[in-house]
Amino acid sequence: MGRTSEAVAEGVSIASAAARLTVRNHILVETISAGAAFDRDRLAGFARDTILALAEEQERAAQRMRDLRRGAWGKFSTSSGTHDYRERDMRNLRRRRKQYEGVAKELRAWADDPERVYQLVDTAREAAWGDVEANLQRRLKVEGMTPDADPDYERMRKARMDALRMVDLARLAAHTQRRRQSAEAAES
């Protein structure tokens, strides 16, 4: 039983990381890219759905092991490949099915515990803020660089000026035009 419980714990840990990453990415896209307000309750629903989707994936894997086990029953010849199971693989397939079922059961229990779901949302939010902070620091470091602190200043100056003209000034012009159009629309 030790191997199964360890495998289940490891599977839950991997699923937890996957869920946290999914929720973090959702937060980044929705709140930062789309400009939506952070809503912990709505994100908890998304997090719960994410956990349940991972549980369903584990249940499908368990069913696949069950089907493979049925197919392996009574086959005593030599395997022709890695996924060509035989009678001697029955025990391993049963153990894997139990492991998948154990992970699915743990994930469903997690999804049914609002406190744990909110904890996932909070850790994903912290991870998202960590990403934002790292990106801001990187941009500030590059944009706040002085010529004497950057050994490649002269070599990269042309590229920075081109980027300023083609990207930043174009973006500023588009932003200014949108503000002007919004102001004109508000006046009419």
Side-chain angles (χ1 to χ4, degrees):
M1 192 63 178
R3 278 204 291 196
T4 297
S5 63
E6 289 172 11
V8 168
E10 187 174 320
V12 170
S13 177
I14 292 168
S16 172
R20 186 172 44 255
L21 181 65
T22 301
V23 175
R24 184 204 76 182
N25 289 344
H26 187 74
I27 290 170
L28 287 171
V29 168
E30 191 173 81
T31 60
I32 295 171
S33 298
F38 179 83
D39 182 346
R40 191 171 183 242
D41 292 329
R42 191 176 33 74
L43 282 165
F46 177 81
R48 184 175 189 280
D49 291 345
T50 299
I51 297 166
L52 289 173
L54 290 167
E56 289 169 8
E57 181 181 304
Q58 294 298 304
E59 290 164 349
R60 285 191 304 273
Q63 182 60 47
R64 190 171 56 250
M65 292 304 110
R66 191 175 289 115
D67 295 343
L68 288 171
R69 193 164 183 260
R70 277 191 207 116
W73 186 77
K75 289 185 178 178
F76 296 100
S77 60
T78 306
S79 297
S80 61
T82 4
H83 300 290
D84 184 22
Y85 297 105
R86 299 293 183 236
E87 181 77 30
R88 66 179 170 269
D89 299 312
M90 298 281 283
R91 188 170 152 202
N92 185 37
L93 291 169
R94 181 177 56 243
R95 182 182 315 118
R96 287 169 59 191
R97 177 186 50 88
K98 285 182 180 182
Q99 292 167 350
Y100 286 127
E101 288 172 346
V103 172
K105 181 180 175 186
E106 290 293 322
L107 290 174
R108 288 202 176 276
W110 181 11
D112 289 338
D113 184 350
E115 187 174 313
R116 288 179 68 193
V117 172
Y118 279 116
Q119 186 178 22
L120 171 63
V121 170
D122 294 340
T123 58
R125 181 182 188 198
E126 288 174 23
W129 275 116
D131 285 353
V132 170
E133 179 185 22
N135 285 333
L136 284 174
Q137 285 184 1
R138 224 177 356 265
R139 291 225 32 201
L140 289 173
K141 184 183 277 186
V142 169
E143 292 179 14
M145 177 92 46
T146 59
D148 56 323
D150 184 7
D152 294 330
Y153 179 80
E154 286 301 323
R155 188 173 61 82
M156 297 302 294
R157 186 173 189 282
K158 181 177 178 351
R160 284 193 304 274
M161 293 307 292
D162 288 344
L164 174 70
R165 273 190 299 278
M166 291 186 288
V167 177
D168 295 330
L169 291 178
R171 191 179 294 163
L172 179 61
H175 176 70
T176 303
Q177 185 174 358
R178 277 193 308 271
R179 288 184 67 190
R180 188 177 312 128
Q181 289 171 348
S182 293
E184 289 171 0
E187 289 176 5
S188 10

